[in-house]
Short mmCIF file of all heavy atoms in Angstrom, two decimals:
data_model
loop_
_atom_site.label_atom_id
_atom_site.label_comp_id
_atom_site.label_asym_id
_atom_site.label_seq_id
_atom_site.Cartn_x
_atom_site.Cartn_y
_atom_site.Cartn_z
N LEU A 637 0.82 -1.19 0.00
CA LEU A 637 0.00 0.00 0.00
C LEU A 637 0.87 1.26 0.00
O LEU A 637 1.95 1.30 0.54
CB LEU A 637 -0.90 0.01 1.25
CG LEU A 637 -1.92 -1.13 1.32
CD1 LEU A 637 -2.57 -1.13 2.69
CD2 LEU A 637 -2.97 -0.96 0.24
N GLY A 638 0.36 2.30 -0.61
CA GLY A 638 1.05 3.59 -0.65
C GLY A 638 0.04 4.70 -0.48
O GLY A 638 -1.02 4.51 0.12
N ASN A 639 0.35 5.85 -1.02
CA ASN A 639 -0.56 7.00 -0.93
C ASN A 639 -1.67 6.84 -1.93
O ASN A 639 -1.44 6.84 -3.13
CB ASN A 639 0.23 8.29 -1.20
CG ASN A 639 -0.63 9.53 -1.03
OD1 ASN A 639 -1.82 9.43 -0.78
ND2 ASN A 639 -0.01 10.69 -1.17
N LYS A 640 -2.89 6.73 -1.45
CA LYS A 640 -4.03 6.46 -2.33
C LYS A 640 -4.60 7.75 -2.93
O LYS A 640 -5.46 7.70 -3.78
CB LYS A 640 -5.12 5.70 -1.57
CG LYS A 640 -4.70 4.33 -1.09
CD LYS A 640 -5.84 3.61 -0.43
CE LYS A 640 -6.08 4.10 0.97
NZ LYS A 640 -4.96 3.86 1.88
N ASN A 641 -4.13 8.91 -2.48
CA ASN A 641 -4.68 10.17 -2.97
C ASN A 641 -3.57 11.07 -3.53
O ASN A 641 -3.47 12.24 -3.20
CB ASN A 641 -5.42 10.89 -1.84
CG ASN A 641 -6.61 10.09 -1.34
OD1 ASN A 641 -7.48 9.75 -2.12
ND2 ASN A 641 -6.62 9.80 -0.06
N GLN A 642 -2.71 10.49 -4.35
CA GLN A 642 -1.60 11.24 -4.90
C GLN A 642 -2.13 12.31 -5.85
O GLN A 642 -2.91 12.04 -6.73
CB GLN A 642 -0.65 10.31 -5.64
CG GLN A 642 -0.04 9.25 -4.74
CD GLN A 642 0.81 8.29 -5.54
OE1 GLN A 642 1.70 8.69 -6.25
NE2 GLN A 642 0.53 7.01 -5.42
N ALA A 643 -1.64 13.55 -5.67
CA ALA A 643 -2.07 14.65 -6.53
C ALA A 643 -0.87 15.36 -7.14
O ALA A 643 -1.01 16.42 -7.70
CB ALA A 643 -2.90 15.63 -5.72
N ASP A 644 0.32 14.76 -7.00
CA ASP A 644 1.51 15.37 -7.58
C ASP A 644 2.21 14.36 -8.48
O ASP A 644 1.63 13.36 -8.86
CB ASP A 644 2.45 15.86 -6.47
CG ASP A 644 2.79 14.75 -5.47
OD1 ASP A 644 2.75 13.56 -5.87
OD2 ASP A 644 3.08 15.06 -4.31
N GLU A 645 3.48 14.64 -8.81
CA GLU A 645 4.18 13.81 -9.77
C GLU A 645 4.42 12.38 -9.29
O GLU A 645 4.74 11.50 -10.11
CB GLU A 645 5.51 14.46 -10.13
CG GLU A 645 6.50 14.57 -8.98
CD GLU A 645 7.80 15.21 -9.41
OE1 GLU A 645 7.93 15.50 -10.61
OE2 GLU A 645 8.66 15.41 -8.54
N THR A 646 4.24 12.14 -8.00
CA THR A 646 4.42 10.78 -7.50
C THR A 646 3.34 9.83 -8.01
O THR A 646 3.44 8.62 -7.85
CB THR A 646 4.42 10.75 -5.96
OG1 THR A 646 3.18 11.27 -5.47
CG2 THR A 646 5.57 11.56 -5.40
N ILE A 647 2.31 10.39 -8.64
CA ILE A 647 1.26 9.55 -9.20
C ILE A 647 1.79 8.64 -10.29
O ILE A 647 1.22 7.59 -10.58
CB ILE A 647 0.09 10.41 -9.74
CG1 ILE A 647 -1.14 9.53 -9.99
CG2 ILE A 647 0.50 11.14 -11.03
CD1 ILE A 647 -2.37 10.34 -10.35
N LYS A 648 2.93 9.01 -10.88
CA LYS A 648 3.49 8.18 -11.96
C LYS A 648 4.42 7.09 -11.42
O LYS A 648 4.96 6.30 -12.20
CB LYS A 648 4.25 9.06 -12.95
CG LYS A 648 5.56 9.62 -12.45
CD LYS A 648 6.26 10.36 -13.58
CE LYS A 648 7.64 10.84 -13.14
NZ LYS A 648 8.38 11.47 -14.25
N ASN A 649 4.58 7.03 -10.11
CA ASN A 649 5.41 6.00 -9.51
C ASN A 649 4.61 4.73 -9.27
O ASN A 649 3.53 4.78 -8.67
CB ASN A 649 5.99 6.48 -8.19
CG ASN A 649 6.91 7.68 -8.34
OD1 ASN A 649 7.49 7.89 -9.40
ND2 ASN A 649 7.02 8.48 -7.30
N PRO A 650 5.09 3.57 -9.70
CA PRO A 650 4.39 2.32 -9.41
C PRO A 650 4.24 2.13 -7.90
O PRO A 650 5.14 2.49 -7.14
CB PRO A 650 5.32 1.25 -10.01
CG PRO A 650 6.14 1.98 -11.01
CD PRO A 650 6.33 3.37 -10.47
N PRO A 651 3.13 1.58 -7.44
CA PRO A 651 2.90 1.40 -6.00
C PRO A 651 3.90 0.48 -5.32
O PRO A 651 4.05 0.53 -4.11
CB PRO A 651 1.49 0.80 -5.95
CG PRO A 651 0.84 1.26 -7.21
CD PRO A 651 1.94 1.26 -8.24
N SER A 652 4.58 -0.38 -6.09
CA SER A 652 5.57 -1.28 -5.50
C SER A 652 6.57 -1.68 -6.57
O SER A 652 6.43 -1.32 -7.74
CB SER A 652 4.89 -2.53 -4.93
OG SER A 652 4.49 -3.39 -5.99
N ASP A 653 7.57 -2.45 -6.18
CA ASP A 653 8.60 -2.89 -7.13
C ASP A 653 8.40 -4.34 -7.55
O ASP A 653 9.34 -5.03 -7.94
CB ASP A 653 10.00 -2.70 -6.54
CG ASP A 653 10.20 -3.50 -5.26
OD1 ASP A 653 9.24 -4.13 -4.78
OD2 ASP A 653 11.34 -3.49 -4.73
N ASP A 654 7.17 -4.82 -7.47
CA ASP A 654 6.89 -6.20 -7.88
C ASP A 654 7.17 -6.40 -9.35
O ASP A 654 7.09 -5.46 -10.16
CB ASP A 654 5.44 -6.55 -7.57
CG ASP A 654 5.20 -6.73 -6.09
OD1 ASP A 654 5.40 -7.85 -5.60
OD2 ASP A 654 4.83 -5.74 -5.44
N SER A 655 7.49 -7.64 -9.72
CA SER A 655 7.76 -7.95 -11.12
C SER A 655 6.49 -7.80 -11.94
O SER A 655 5.37 -7.90 -11.44
CB SER A 655 8.30 -9.39 -11.24
OG SER A 655 7.30 -10.33 -10.88
N TYR A 656 6.67 -7.57 -13.23
CA TYR A 656 5.52 -7.40 -14.12
C TYR A 656 4.56 -8.59 -14.08
O TYR A 656 3.34 -8.39 -14.00
CB TYR A 656 6.00 -7.16 -15.56
CG TYR A 656 6.88 -5.94 -15.73
CD1 TYR A 656 8.20 -6.07 -16.15
CD2 TYR A 656 6.40 -4.66 -15.47
CE1 TYR A 656 9.02 -4.95 -16.32
CE2 TYR A 656 7.21 -3.53 -15.63
CZ TYR A 656 8.52 -3.69 -16.05
OH TYR A 656 9.31 -2.58 -16.22
N PRO A 657 5.05 -9.83 -14.12
CA PRO A 657 4.12 -10.96 -14.08
C PRO A 657 3.26 -10.99 -12.82
O PRO A 657 2.08 -11.34 -12.87
CB PRO A 657 5.04 -12.18 -14.16
CG PRO A 657 6.26 -11.69 -14.87
CD PRO A 657 6.44 -10.29 -14.38
N MET A 658 3.86 -10.62 -11.67
CA MET A 658 3.09 -10.65 -10.43
C MET A 658 1.99 -9.60 -10.43
O MET A 658 0.91 -9.83 -9.88
CB MET A 658 4.02 -10.44 -9.23
CG MET A 658 5.08 -11.52 -9.05
SD MET A 658 4.40 -13.20 -9.07
CE MET A 658 3.31 -13.16 -7.65
N ILE A 659 2.24 -8.48 -11.06
CA ILE A 659 1.21 -7.44 -11.17
C ILE A 659 0.07 -7.93 -12.05
O ILE A 659 -1.11 -7.73 -11.75
CB ILE A 659 1.81 -6.15 -11.73
CG1 ILE A 659 2.87 -5.61 -10.78
CG2 ILE A 659 0.72 -5.09 -11.95
CD1 ILE A 659 3.77 -4.57 -11.40
N SER A 660 0.42 -8.61 -13.14
CA SER A 660 -0.62 -9.11 -14.05
C SER A 660 -1.48 -10.17 -13.37
O SER A 660 -2.68 -10.28 -13.63
CB SER A 660 0.01 -9.69 -15.32
OG SER A 660 0.67 -10.91 -15.07
N ILE A 661 -0.88 -10.96 -12.47
CA ILE A 661 -1.63 -11.98 -11.74
C ILE A 661 -2.70 -11.32 -10.88
O ILE A 661 -3.83 -11.80 -10.77
CB ILE A 661 -0.68 -12.84 -10.88
CG1 ILE A 661 0.19 -13.73 -11.78
CG2 ILE A 661 -1.46 -13.70 -9.89
CD1 ILE A 661 1.29 -14.46 -11.04
N LEU A 662 -2.35 -10.19 -10.28
CA LEU A 662 -3.30 -9.47 -9.44
C LEU A 662 -4.54 -9.04 -10.23
O LEU A 662 -5.64 -8.98 -9.69
CB LEU A 662 -2.62 -8.23 -8.84
CG LEU A 662 -3.43 -7.41 -7.83
CD1 LEU A 662 -3.65 -8.21 -6.55
CD2 LEU A 662 -2.72 -6.10 -7.50
N PHE A 663 -4.36 -8.79 -11.53
CA PHE A 663 -5.47 -8.32 -12.36
C PHE A 663 -6.03 -9.41 -13.27
O PHE A 663 -6.91 -9.15 -14.08
CB PHE A 663 -5.02 -7.13 -13.21
CG PHE A 663 -4.99 -5.83 -12.45
CD1 PHE A 663 -3.92 -5.51 -11.64
CD2 PHE A 663 -6.05 -4.95 -12.53
CE1 PHE A 663 -3.89 -4.34 -10.91
CE2 PHE A 663 -6.04 -3.76 -11.80
CZ PHE A 663 -4.96 -3.46 -11.00
N SER A 664 -5.52 -10.64 -13.16
CA SER A 664 -5.98 -11.71 -14.03
C SER A 664 -7.26 -12.35 -13.50
O SER A 664 -7.63 -12.16 -12.33
CB SER A 664 -4.90 -12.79 -14.15
OG SER A 664 -4.72 -13.44 -12.91
N LYS A 665 -7.91 -13.09 -14.35
CA LYS A 665 -9.11 -13.80 -13.94
C LYS A 665 -8.73 -14.85 -12.90
O LYS A 665 -7.83 -15.64 -13.10
CB LYS A 665 -9.75 -14.48 -15.16
CG LYS A 665 -11.06 -15.19 -14.85
CD LYS A 665 -11.65 -15.81 -16.11
CE LYS A 665 -12.96 -16.52 -15.81
NZ LYS A 665 -13.54 -17.13 -17.02
N ASN A 666 -9.42 -14.82 -11.78
CA ASN A 666 -9.18 -15.76 -10.68
C ASN A 666 -7.78 -15.61 -10.07
O ASN A 666 -7.35 -16.47 -9.30
CB ASN A 666 -9.37 -17.22 -11.14
CG ASN A 666 -10.79 -17.48 -11.58
OD1 ASN A 666 -11.73 -16.94 -11.02
ND2 ASN A 666 -10.95 -18.28 -12.62
N ASN A 667 -7.08 -14.51 -10.44
CA ASN A 667 -5.76 -14.24 -9.86
C ASN A 667 -4.81 -15.42 -10.00
O ASN A 667 -4.07 -15.76 -9.08
CB ASN A 667 -5.88 -13.83 -8.39
CG ASN A 667 -6.81 -12.65 -8.19
OD1 ASN A 667 -7.89 -12.81 -7.61
ND2 ASN A 667 -6.43 -11.51 -8.68
N LYS A 668 -4.83 -16.04 -11.17
CA LYS A 668 -3.95 -17.18 -11.43
C LYS A 668 -2.99 -16.85 -12.57
O LYS A 668 -3.16 -15.89 -13.30
CB LYS A 668 -4.78 -18.43 -11.77
CG LYS A 668 -5.58 -18.95 -10.59
CD LYS A 668 -6.18 -20.31 -10.90
CE LYS A 668 -6.91 -20.88 -9.70
NZ LYS A 668 -7.45 -22.24 -9.95
N VAL A 669 -1.96 -17.67 -12.69
CA VAL A 669 -0.92 -17.43 -13.68
C VAL A 669 -1.43 -17.79 -15.07
O VAL A 669 -1.97 -18.87 -15.29
CB VAL A 669 0.33 -18.27 -13.36
CG1 VAL A 669 1.42 -18.01 -14.39
CG2 VAL A 669 0.84 -17.94 -11.96
N GLY A 670 -1.24 -16.88 -16.03
CA GLY A 670 -1.61 -17.13 -17.41
C GLY A 670 -0.41 -16.98 -18.31
O GLY A 670 0.69 -16.64 -17.86
N VAL A 671 -0.58 -17.20 -19.61
CA VAL A 671 0.54 -17.07 -20.54
C VAL A 671 1.02 -15.62 -20.60
O VAL A 671 2.15 -15.35 -21.03
CB VAL A 671 0.17 -17.56 -21.95
CG1 VAL A 671 -0.14 -19.05 -21.94
CG2 VAL A 671 -0.98 -16.78 -22.53
N SER A 672 0.20 -14.69 -20.16
CA SER A 672 0.61 -13.29 -20.16
C SER A 672 1.84 -13.08 -19.28
O SER A 672 2.67 -12.19 -19.56
CB SER A 672 -0.53 -12.38 -19.69
OG SER A 672 -0.95 -12.73 -18.39
N ALA A 673 1.99 -13.88 -18.23
CA ALA A 673 3.17 -13.77 -17.37
C ALA A 673 4.43 -14.07 -18.17
O ALA A 673 5.47 -13.41 -18.00
CB ALA A 673 3.05 -14.74 -16.19
N LEU A 674 4.35 -15.05 -19.06
CA LEU A 674 5.47 -15.39 -19.94
C LEU A 674 5.72 -14.26 -20.93
O LEU A 674 6.86 -13.85 -21.15
CB LEU A 674 5.19 -16.70 -20.66
CG LEU A 674 6.18 -17.11 -21.75
CD1 LEU A 674 7.56 -17.34 -21.17
CD2 LEU A 674 5.69 -18.38 -22.46
N SER A 675 4.66 -13.76 -21.54
CA SER A 675 4.80 -12.68 -22.53
C SER A 675 5.39 -11.43 -21.90
O SER A 675 6.23 -10.75 -22.51
CB SER A 675 3.43 -12.37 -23.15
OG SER A 675 2.92 -13.48 -23.84
N LEU A 676 4.98 -11.10 -20.68
CA LEU A 676 5.51 -9.93 -19.99
C LEU A 676 7.00 -10.10 -19.68
O LEU A 676 7.78 -9.14 -19.77
CB LEU A 676 4.74 -9.68 -18.69
CG LEU A 676 3.32 -9.13 -18.87
CD1 LEU A 676 2.54 -9.23 -17.57
CD2 LEU A 676 3.36 -7.69 -19.35
N THR A 677 7.39 -11.31 -19.33
CA THR A 677 8.80 -11.59 -19.09
C THR A 677 9.61 -11.37 -20.36
O THR A 677 10.71 -10.80 -20.33
CB THR A 677 8.99 -13.03 -18.58
OG1 THR A 677 8.27 -13.20 -17.35
CG2 THR A 677 10.47 -13.35 -18.35
N ILE A 678 9.07 -11.78 -21.49
CA ILE A 678 9.74 -11.58 -22.77
C ILE A 678 9.83 -10.10 -23.12
O ILE A 678 10.86 -9.63 -23.62
CB ILE A 678 9.03 -12.38 -23.87
CG1 ILE A 678 9.21 -13.88 -23.61
CG2 ILE A 678 9.56 -12.01 -25.27
CD1 ILE A 678 8.39 -14.77 -24.50
N LEU A 679 8.77 -9.34 -22.84
CA LEU A 679 8.83 -7.89 -23.06
C LEU A 679 9.97 -7.27 -22.25
O LEU A 679 10.72 -6.43 -22.75
CB LEU A 679 7.51 -7.23 -22.65
CG LEU A 679 6.25 -7.51 -23.47
CD1 LEU A 679 5.10 -6.62 -23.00
CD2 LEU A 679 6.49 -7.29 -24.96
N ASP A 680 10.09 -7.70 -21.01
CA ASP A 680 11.14 -7.18 -20.14
C ASP A 680 12.52 -7.54 -20.68
O ASP A 680 13.45 -6.73 -20.64
CB ASP A 680 10.95 -7.73 -18.72
CG ASP A 680 11.77 -6.98 -17.68
OD1 ASP A 680 12.13 -5.82 -17.94
OD2 ASP A 680 12.02 -7.56 -16.60
N LEU A 681 12.66 -8.74 -21.21
CA LEU A 681 13.94 -9.18 -21.79
C LEU A 681 14.27 -8.39 -23.05
O LEU A 681 15.44 -8.10 -23.32
CB LEU A 681 13.90 -10.68 -22.09
CG LEU A 681 13.91 -11.60 -20.85
CD1 LEU A 681 13.65 -13.04 -21.25
CD2 LEU A 681 15.25 -11.48 -20.11
N ILE A 682 13.25 -8.03 -23.82
CA ILE A 682 13.48 -7.17 -24.99
C ILE A 682 13.95 -5.80 -24.53
O ILE A 682 14.89 -5.22 -25.08
CB ILE A 682 12.19 -7.04 -25.83
CG1 ILE A 682 11.84 -8.38 -26.49
CG2 ILE A 682 12.34 -5.96 -26.91
CD1 ILE A 682 10.50 -8.38 -27.22
N ASP A 683 13.30 -5.29 -23.50
CA ASP A 683 13.66 -3.97 -22.96
C ASP A 683 15.09 -3.96 -22.41
O ASP A 683 15.80 -2.96 -22.53
CB ASP A 683 12.66 -3.59 -21.86
CG ASP A 683 12.82 -2.15 -21.41
OD1 ASP A 683 13.06 -1.27 -22.25
OD2 ASP A 683 12.67 -1.88 -20.20
N LYS A 684 15.52 -5.08 -21.84
CA LYS A 684 16.87 -5.17 -21.27
C LYS A 684 17.93 -5.50 -22.32
O LYS A 684 19.12 -5.53 -22.00
CB LYS A 684 16.89 -6.27 -20.19
CG LYS A 684 16.07 -5.93 -18.95
CD LYS A 684 16.07 -7.11 -17.99
CE LYS A 684 15.26 -6.81 -16.74
NZ LYS A 684 15.17 -8.00 -15.84
#
């Protein structure tokens, strides 16, 4: 948890440093692992 009422530039800061796949799990159906976790990992590897 962080500041839920951000009104300044900190609004662009992610609420935590969790990995991309773990964030997607939080928003996935039934909060389970999908192939999107793999795809997000590949996006990150392209970025790196």
